[in-house]
Amino acid sequence: MLKHVLHTGVAVADLEKAVQLYESLGFAVHKRFEKPEPKAQVATVKKGGTAFELWQFVDAGHPLAAFIRNHVAIYSDNLEADLDALIAQGCKLVIPVTEGVVMRYGFVQDAAGCCYEIATEKQA
């Protein structure tokens, strides 16, 4: 079942400048990581219950970047079932279930073109 919003993903031109902006707004860096494909530097900033995942792509033309650059991530306690339910409702699976750097996830895109990351904890 889908539980709550984890973060909003945002593409940025300069990660350090974006982090500085969010820090000036009272956000704190929660984590940083590198994504190997599409190659990107990523920082998650949080303030209270709000989080943004900031993406600086090295290869902004990579096919997966189009789905990741702007998205809403939602926590799931049953990843495969929730993805199947969204697909049954007309969403298109654009990134299959993946063991990511931080979480296990899949991406879907709705009919309007909005992208959603459905994510859960990594399997042990």
Side-chain angles (χ1 to χ4, degrees), residues 22-115:
Y22 280 87
E23 286 177 334
S24 77
L25 298 171
F27 286 80
V29 174
H30 176 68
K31 67 182 100 169
R32 288 179 178 259
F33 61 93
E34 289 187 23
K35 179 82 170 149
E37 188 176 352
K39 190 164 177 58
Q41 298 291 321
V42 186
T44 302
V45 295
K46 287 187 172 185
K47 180 179 181 180
T50 302
F52 291 93
E53 195 174 67
L54 309 174
W55 288 76
Q56 180 181 344
F57 292 97
V58 174
D59 181 8
H62 190 285
L64 296 180
F67 305 117
I68 297 170
R69 78 176 68 254
N70 296 304
H71 68 273
V72 175
I74 304 170
Y75 179 80
S76 169
D77 64 3
N78 191 335
L79 180 60
E80 286 79 3
D82 285 332
L83 288 171
D84 287 345
L86 289 164
I87 292 165
Q89 293 177 48
C91 288
K92 176 183 171 186
L93 183 67
V94 293
I95 299 176
V97 174
T98 302
E99 292 291 330
V101 175
V102 178
M103 301 187 86
R104 242 174 115 239
Y105 63 86
F107 272 72
V108 294
Q109 186 177 47
D110 68 16
C114 298
C115 293

